[in-house]
């Protein structure tokens, strides 16, 4: 269930552009939070003022670059490209420090498995946990337990329903919105559109779909005729797309909640001799989707640099380990939002090979 | 006039009934050759795997490893294509290697089960984890893409007379299985082994050898399923095929296969597979929201199986009545 990685290998070059984007989006989100009056009030008791800290935080700080550090990465499903890219990003970030050990755990898409893993990780006194919650509500008690034990929890994309150290996420609602606008442009603002859904109930996927639907509503000529789930699976998406093609011969576009399903839909369209005739969009920006945009099978995707996202989460973890900063001062979880890039055939070439995960 | 055997007719009746209902509900899209091709294409991998695993079920065993074994086979073929280059030669070598992986794994299952007398459930359940683990190690948990050569990608999607190739593969494998089970001594032995292994042993059947062969065939069809799946999706990953064992077991049981062994037929399995495909297709065509499709799917399966079981019970009740009347008749005379 777990893979151990000793991080004493050379760093493989995190993209500078991505890191800058993350910092930019961090400041942007801080600015946004400030504008909406949701900025977290930091109490004086936690402000570190140099040599004489007046903190009342019980959190013990460690030097993350010299002391022995154990970081747990609890994935939703390690076999997905996203989860792998995050893991690689985390490993690359920590690769220069041999004192840091990254241990990855596979949640096997199950909140129960993740809860058990969380209990083990807390018992083994890890220094930080990077978590992608299969179910934000089910994992909330585990996340709280970890934070209470002084272990900072940084969630990636899938949030926990309790206040914790940080959430690093790719845009979801906005990704749906951007895809909707682009699709509308590409089909001339009229025609039938269908959605291929993931597993219902996950915040990210629900928000993506909501963003898409609410934006499409601005185009009176476009009708969302159907929405079926393919459970994030490429193969199931082939079946779903076949039934769309069967039911709606005049279908203009399909928006799939993730790239794997968009790739499946593109394969079905290809097999029905409709390659390029139906505008197919995904969201994530994985390597194969970019290749399919290049070959004209897919029309576009919303790309996020997942390596950079993992690396950002790791950076925050190291920062937390090295500080007395405690989650107790927070009224809500602070967020870092990754830069989304709208990719179409026009600009797919601008995403360099080394940024394709 | 020959009396209609309702016991045999119940499955075709349900099938025709389902087709009529869906044709009425979705007249434009359901009753077309293209849609039937889609239905069969979507269940072809499950069909291929069920036709092999049915041997194991009939011999009184179970094979829970077929899903992840299909995944391992898929990875074997795409890894070879990836490493050797996208040439036709690497496709052929990859396919042969994947088939060997499947057959060898099946042989190992069979040998462990028969030599060490360990329940098949345990052996194949453990093997399931082993194959998933192996696939993860080989791929380092990454997706291995195989978008070319055309020889490979056409396995899963090439159309002959409007029907994708996997459907023909399913039919060929179903015919081989049907022939082996109903027209050969080996087939008769399998039913005997599943019905009563001790009695079969005493009557001279090579029980162990037959059981090993059943698992080899099951492994082989899992590998074929994996190759087709990899070709259809143009990729292989550790989770490819995961969960297929449940679908295969469901299809077999819907088709009248007893998990206790000795009862079931290949046409029954194909019926189970097609019913599952029809339900799925019907739900998609009727745009049932994903939040409700699981519920509807479950209820429809229960109704179909209950209707089938009712027909069987009716027939057995009539049989019992007839026999008891005959007994009474003989007693009174």
């Amino acid at each position: 269930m777990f893979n151990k990685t000793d991080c004493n290998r050379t760093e493989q070059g995190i993209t500078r552009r991505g890191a800058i984007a993350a910092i930019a989006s961090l400041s942007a989100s801080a600015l946004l939070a400030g504008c909406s009056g949701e900025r977290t009030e930091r109490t004086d008791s936690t402000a570190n003022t140099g040599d004489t800290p007046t903190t009342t935080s019980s959190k013990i700080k460690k030097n993350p670059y010299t002391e022995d550090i154990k970081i747990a990465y609890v994935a939703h499903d390690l076999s997905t490209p996203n989860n792998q890219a995050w893991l690689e990003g985390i490993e690359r970030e920590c690769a220069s420090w041999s004192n840091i050990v990254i241990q990855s755990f596979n949640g096997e898409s199950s909140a129960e498995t993740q809860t058990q893993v969380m209990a083990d990780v807390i018992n083994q006194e890890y220094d930080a946990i990077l978590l992608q919650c299969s179910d934000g509500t089910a994992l909330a008690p585990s996340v709280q337990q970890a934070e209470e034990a002084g272990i900072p929890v940084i969630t990636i994309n899938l949030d926990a329903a309790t206040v914790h150290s940080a959430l690093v996420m790719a845009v979801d609602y906005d990704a749906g919105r951007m895809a909707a606008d682009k699709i509308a442009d590409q089909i001339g603002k009229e025609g039938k559109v269908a959605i291929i859904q993931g597993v219902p109930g996950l915040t990210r996927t629900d928000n993506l779909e909501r963003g898409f639907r609410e934006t499409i509503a601005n185009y009176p000529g476009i009708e969302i005729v159907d929405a079926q789930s393919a459970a994030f699976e490429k193969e199931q998406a082939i079946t779903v797309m076949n039934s769309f093609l069967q039911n709606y011969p005049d279908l203009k576009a399909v928006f799939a909640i993730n790239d794997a399903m968009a790739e499946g839909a593109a394969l079905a369209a290809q097999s029905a001799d409709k390659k390029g005739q139906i505008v197919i969009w995904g969201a994530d920006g994985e390597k194969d989707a970019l290749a399919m945009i290049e070959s004209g099978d897919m029309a576009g995707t919303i790309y996020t640099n997942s390596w950079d996202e993992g690396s950002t989460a790791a950076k925050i973890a190291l920062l937390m380990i090295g500080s007395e900063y405690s989650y107790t001062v927070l009224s809500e979880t602070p967020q870092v939002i990754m830069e989304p890039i709208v990719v179409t055939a026009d600009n797919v070439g601008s995403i360099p090979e080394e940024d394709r995960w | 006039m020959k009396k209609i055997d309702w016991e045999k007719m119940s499955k075709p009746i349900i099938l025709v009934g389902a087709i009529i209902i869906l044709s009425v509900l979705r007249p434009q899209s359901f009753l077309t050759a293209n849609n039937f091709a889609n239905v069969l294409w979507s269940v072809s991998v499950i069909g291929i795997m069920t036709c092999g695993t049915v041997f194991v079920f009939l011999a009184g065993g179970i094979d829970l490893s077929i899903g992840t074994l299909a995944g391992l086979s898929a990875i074997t073929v795409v890894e070879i294509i990836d490493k050797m280059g996208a040439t036709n030669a690497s496709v052929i070598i990859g396919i042969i290697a994947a088939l060997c992986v499947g057959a060898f794994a099946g042989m190992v299952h069979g040998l462990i089960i028969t030599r060490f007398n360990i329940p098949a459930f345990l052996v194949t359940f453990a093997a399931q984890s082993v194959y998933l683990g192996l696939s993860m190690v080989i791929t380092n948990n990454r997706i291995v893409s195989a978008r070319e050569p055309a020889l490979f990608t056409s396995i899963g999607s090439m159309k002959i007379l409007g029907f994708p190739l996997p459907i023909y593969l399913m039919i060929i494998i179903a015919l081989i299985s049907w022939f082996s089970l109903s027209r050969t001594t080996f087939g008769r032995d399998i039913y005997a082994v599943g019905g009563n292994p001790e009695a079969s042993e005493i009557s001279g059947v090579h029980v162990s050898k037959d059981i090993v062969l059943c698992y080899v065939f099951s492994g082989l069809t899992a590998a074929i399923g994996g190759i087709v799946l990899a070709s259809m999706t143009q990729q292989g990953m550790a989770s490819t095929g995961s969960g297929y064992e449940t679908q295969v077991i469901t299809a077999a049981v819907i088709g009248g296969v007893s998990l206790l062994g000795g009862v079931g037929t290949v046409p029954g399995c194909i019926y189970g597979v097609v019913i599952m495909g029809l339900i799925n297709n019907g739900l998609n065509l009727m745009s049932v929201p994903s939040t409700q499709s699981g519920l509807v799917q479950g209820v429809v399966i229960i109704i179909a199986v209950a209707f089938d079981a009712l027909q069987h019970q009716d027939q057995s009740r009539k049989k019992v009545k007839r026999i008891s009347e005959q007994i009474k008749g003989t007693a009174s005379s």
Side-chain angles (χ1 to χ4, degrees):
Chain A
M1 201 162 62
F2 62 84
N3 303 311
K4 190 174 173 180
T5 318
D6 194 357
C7 284
N8 52 4
R9 58 193 171 96
T10 53
E11 198 168 359
Q12 294 171 12
I14 298 294
T15 60
R16 213 171 288 276
R17 189 168 57 78
I20 293 165
I23 293 161
S25 47
L26 174 61
S27 14
S29 59
L31 192 69
L32 277 176
C35 292
S36 57
E38 287 172 0
R39 192 163 60 89
T40 311
E41 288 295 325
R42 302 267 155 84
T43 57
D44 286 336
S45 62
T46 56
N48 194 341
T49 52
D51 293 332
T52 51
T54 54
T55 178
T56 55
S57 167
S58 59
K59 189 176 169 296
I60 304 157
K61 72 170 182 182
K62 275 170 109 173
N63 185 333
Y65 305 103
T66 54
E67 292 180 58
D68 283 343
I69 299 291
K70 283 194 297 185
I71 297 176
Y73 167 51
V74 184
H76 166 69
D77 177 0
L78 260 184
S79 64
T80 64
N82 243 329
N83 284 233
Q84 271 301 311
W86 289 327
L87 175 60
E88 277 179 44
I90 296 163
E91 287 173 355
R92 288 178 187 187
E93 186 60 41
C94 304
S96 298
W97 290 279
S98 58
N99 60 310
I100 303 174
V101 172
I102 310 288
Q103 189 123 17
S104 63
F105 298 85
N106 191 359
E108 293 158 2
S109 309
S110 147
E112 288 78 18
T113 308
Q114 285 194 319
T115 309
Q116 286 167 15
V117 170
M118 285 292 284
D120 290 344
V121 167
I122 297 166
N123 278 340
Q124 290 171 39
E125 297 177 341
Y126 271 77
D127 297 292
I129 300 170
L130 305 172
L131 167 71
Q132 190 198 11
C133 296
S134 297
D135 178 335
T137 315
L139 264 302
S142 305
V143 170
Q144 201 174 351
Q145 213 185 333
E147 290 280 6
E148 278 167 6
I151 306 170
V153 178
I154 294 101
T155 46
I156 309 178
N157 264 18
L158 301 178
D159 196 6
T162 183
V163 175
H164 56 282
S165 294
L167 163 68
V168 182
M169 61 182 285
V171 292
D172 44 29
Y173 181 88
D174 282 341
R177 189 179 55 72
M178 290 182 231
D181 280 330
K182 274 286 176 186
I183 287 176
D185 279 348
Q186 290 176 342
I187 63 172
K189 296 182 179 155
E190 58 177 13
K192 290 179 178 170
V193 175
I195 301 173
I196 303 182
Q197 302 163 310
V199 176
L202 292 176
T203 323
R204 174 173 163 77
T205 54
D206 289 353
N207 285 346
L208 261 164
E209 188 178 336
R210 200 163 51 82
F212 183 78
R213 281 181 184 275
E214 288 178 7
T215 311
I216 285 291
N218 300 332
Y219 299 92
I222 301 178
E223 184 195 359
I224 297 177
V225 287
D226 211 336
Q228 296 283 325
S229 168
F232 299 121
E233 302 279 345
K234 191 169 179 176
E235 187 224 340
Q236 283 193 40
I238 297 178
T239 308
V240 169
M241 185 65 181
N242 278 333
S243 65
F244 283 167
L245 293 173
Q246 194 63 33
N247 248 357
Y248 316 102
D250 49 350
L251 190 70
K252 286 272 189 68
V254 170
F255 174 55
I257 299 297
N258 77 347
D259 277 345
M261 296 191 293
E263 289 157 33
L267 289 176
Q270 202 183 62
S271 164
D273 296 327
K274 289 195 168 176
K275 176 179 167 170
Q277 291 174 30
I278 295 169
V279 169
I280 298 169
W281 273 70
D284 287 341
E286 62 182 56
K287 195 171 60 185
D288 281 357
L290 300 180
M292 281 191 127
I293 294 171
E294 271 165 348
S295 65
D297 289 288
M298 269 174 66
T301 188
I302 310 295
Y303 168 90
T304 308
N305 188 336
S306 290
W307 281 327
D308 192 16
E309 193 174 354
S311 144
T312 306
K315 275 193 187 93
I316 298 172
L318 298 181
L319 178 83
M320 296 288 172
I321 292 167
S323 78
E324 289 128 330
Y325 178 81
S326 160
Y327 83 108
T328 50
V329 302
L330 303 168
S331 62
E332 62 180 49
T333 307
Q335 298 178 358
V336 174
I337 297 172
M338 303 303 296
E339 176 201 20
I341 299 173
V342 180
V343 180
T344 61
D346 299 334
N347 67 343
V348 64
S350 69
I351 296 180
E353 210 50 48
E354 63 269 22
D355 278 356
R356 297 190 181 195
W357 47 274
Chain B
M1 201 180 87
K2 201 182 163 190
K3 262 183 132 182
I4 298 168
D5 186 350
W6 289 106
E7 196 174 323
K8 275 189 182 163
M9 290 307 288
S10 66
K11 287 186 176 69
I13 289 171
I14 296 169
L15 209 55
V16 172
I19 291 170
I20 291 172
I21 292 170
L22 286 170
S23 307
V24 172
L25 291 172
R26 278 286 175 274
Q28 304 290 320
S29 44
F30 179 75
L31 210 56
T32 64
N34 205 8
N35 191 49
F36 278 103
N38 286 343
V39 172
L40 293 176
W41 189 27
S42 71
V43 292
S44 53
V45 173
I46 301 172
I48 289 168
M49 288 164 76
T50 310
C51 288
T53 312
V54 67
F55 282 78
V56 170
F57 295 143
L58 291 176
I62 193 159
D63 195 344
L64 299 174
S65 70
I66 47 174
T68 55
L69 183 56
L72 184 63
S73 312
I75 283 164
T76 307
V77 64
V78 293
E79 274 284 351
I80 288 176
I81 295 172
D82 190 49
K83 295 278 175 327
M84 286 182 59
T87 60
N88 290 350
S90 62
V91 173
I92 291 162
I93 295 170
I95 289 173
I96 292 169
L99 293 176
C100 290
V101 166
F104 180 74
M107 189 183 75
V108 173
H109 299 158
L111 287 175
I112 295 175
I113 290 162
T114 51
R115 293 290 150 89
F116 298 98
N117 214 9
I118 304 173
F121 186 95
L122 285 180
V123 173
T124 57
F125 182 68
Q128 187 183 59
S129 290
V130 171
Y131 303 140
L132 182 66
L134 261 176
S135 301
M136 284 185 172
V137 170
I138 295 170
T139 59
N140 198 12
N141 239 328
R142 282 188 188 81
I143 290 180
V144 184
S145 301
R147 300 188 61 213
E148 46 190 3
L151 178 69
F152 179 66
T153 54
S154 60
I155 298 170
S157 56
M158 186 177 73
K159 285 186 177 166
I160 303 168
L161 303 172
F163 287 84
L165 187 63
I167 300 176
Y168 295 97
L169 283 174
M170 174 172 79
I171 294 170
I172 292 167
I173 291 166
L175 285 173
I176 296 171
S177 299
W178 170 79
F179 183 82
S180 316
L181 282 171
S182 59
R183 296 285 185 273
T184 65
T185 328
F186 168 67
R188 279 192 290 277
D189 287 353
I190 299 297
Y191 279 101
V193 169
N196 192 338
E198 287 82 11
S200 318
E201 187 81 67
I202 293 163
S203 59
V205 175
H206 299 292
V207 175
S208 297
K209 198 187 90 192
D210 286 349
I211 288 178
V212 172
L213 274 175
C214 287
Y215 282 95
V216 168
F217 200 53
S218 178
L220 205 56
T221 51
I224 298 171
I227 296 165
V228 173
L229 209 49
S231 166
M232 265 166 79
T233 56
Q234 302 184 358
Q235 68 181 35
M237 58 199 273
S239 62
T240 300
S242 277
Y244 266 68
E245 63 281 355
T246 322
Q247 297 195 53
V248 165
I249 293 170
T250 312
V253 173
I254 292 175
V257 172
S258 163
L259 293 181
L260 298 171
V263 179
T265 60
V266 173
C269 288
I270 292 295
Y271 156 82
V273 166
V274 173
I275 277 285
M276 280 174 71
L278 277 178
I279 293 172
N280 202 8
N281 180 250
L283 291 175
N284 283 339
L285 289 186
M286 281 156 53
S287 310
V288 175
S290 54
T291 39
Q292 296 160 23
S293 60
L295 174 74
V296 180
Q297 205 166 12
V299 171
V300 175
I301 289 177
I302 290 172
I303 293 171
V305 174
F307 182 79
D308 190 24
L310 212 63
Q311 294 292 318
H312 284 259
Q313 276 175 12
D314 221 27
Q315 290 306 308
S316 18
R317 249 189 241 120
K318 277 180 193 160
K319 225 180 257 174
V320 172
K321 205 174 155 193
R322 205 167 51 232
I323 294 166
S324 56
E325 270 167 8
Q326 276 171 3
I327 294 168
K328 268 183 210 159
T330 2
S332 59
S333 65

